[in-house]
Amino acid sequence: MLIAFQDRLRLPWRGGAKRISPAAVAPAFIVPLMLGLATLNSKTAVVLMLTLVGFTGWGMQVAKRTATRTNFFLSWVVFSVVYMIIIFEFQVPLLELSPEENYALMFFSCAALYCLYSTKALSSLNLVSAQYGTTPKDELPGIAEASSGEEQAEAQITLQMDSVLDVDEMVDDSSERVDLMHGQPNICESCRKVTPRRAYHCPICGTCVKRRDHHSYWLNCCIGERNYVWYICGLILSEIALLLGANLTLTSICHPFMVVRPLGYPVLLPDDCSEVFESFELGISFVVACYALLISGYIAFILARQAYLWWKGSTLHEYKRSTHAAGRGNRIWSLWRAIIK
Ligand SMILES: [Zn+2]
Ligand SMILES: [Zn+2]
């Protein structure tokens, strides 16, 4: 369906009609419709939130299976942020919030958006340029024409490795080369050239990426050498902004209670939220706060995964590949991979 939606729509524009993808526009309608319907009652809200998780998870699996480059998920992020800010600023009863609380939330939101924007803007610097290598000899026309016996042997070994991967992994990794022999060049079969160490091919970007971690569908770019730090900072700041926004919203519309009072500043948590579905204003604020908590849970999971990989000194790409190569826990790994990919 996503692929079918990828086809053309045109918008009248100065200097000629501008082509737009329906997949990039769809979230502008799906997100507010879903949030609006969820305000009806608590059961509808739970069903819609679960549907949302299932729908985005399924959409991402389809995009991964078909190695589709789509703006659908990036658009989803952009419109979710826009609607959350609008609801927070115009619906949540601001009288109960101090200006400092609002400024703090805006600061973290803007900082997070800047980091995520930089992640995307810098992603092109991760791509292995066509000129990589110091001599024309480095730009090999193909594996079959690899000049040395060692290169052909490496290509043969990696081809054998590919043959044991499952279909899903084939889409992701079929064309990358592993630095099996220390000091030997990596050769990418798809790009048909020598690539730097720890550079891996991304089938969605269609090129090799330096120190590739993974392809982020939510940002529609690869996370690698030059944008990894921005990506992690963006996630941490997003997590803070989402949790702060959800807390400020819920303690405004529900009956709050004080947890601690460090330095004379009360830290509140929501207590009784039973009356939030009695009006649309309270309902939409509550639903958006729950939506923010849902996203923050997902980001917390990604951050925990990245912390584990940092501790292991590996990228997500290398970790998945090494687990495959070791043949450990195939069934459990398949299930785990289906969740985290
Ligand atoms: Zn490549
Ligand atoms: Zn990519």
Side-chain angles (χ1 to χ4, degrees), residues 230-242:
W230 287 102
Y231 175 70
I232 297 298
C233 289
L235 289 185
I236 293 171
L237 289 165
S238 301
E239 182 75 4
I240 295 170
L242 287 165

Side-chain angles (χ1 to χ4, degrees), residues 175 188 190-191 195 200-202 207-208:
S175 49
C188 177
S190 292
C191 300
T195 59
Y200 303 104
H201 190 82
C202 174
T207 185
C208 279

Side-chain angles (χ1 to χ4, degrees), residues 1 5-6 9 11 13 24 36 56 61 87 136 154 158 170 188 195 225 242 250 294 304 308-309 314 325-326 328 338:
M1 187 179 78
F5 268 124
Q6 282 292 320
L9 261 188
L11 200 67
W13 204 258
T56 49
Q61 284 305 311
I87 297 297
E154 183 187 10
T158 48
M170 285 289 283
C188 177
T195 59
E225 187 177 80
L242 287 165
L250 291 176
L294 194 67
Y308 174 74
L309 291 169
S314 174
R328 278 182 274 135

